[in-house]
Amino acid sequence: MSGAWDGLIVLGLLIILLVLGVRRLRPRVHIPWTTGGIVVCFIFVVLLLWAWSNR
């Protein structure tokens, strides 16, 4: 059970860093997606990779 919580904490920290990075880059670089859309896509990719690794 502890490993699952560790993974969840790391995923949360990665999402926070992703949001901060996108908000910092947005004034300099045109990013066509909203921050929420990027986070949802990131979570989807992480879940797909997790499901693929548990095959």
Side-chain angles (χ1 to χ4, degrees), residues 17-42:
L17 289 174
L18 181 71
V19 168
L20 291 175
V22 167
R23 288 192 177 171
R24 184 164 291 184
L25 279 176
R26 195 172 293 275
R28 289 184 238 148
V29 180
H30 174 68
I31 302 173
W33 288 7
T34 63
T35 304
I38 294 171
V39 169
V40 167
C41 182
F42 178 75

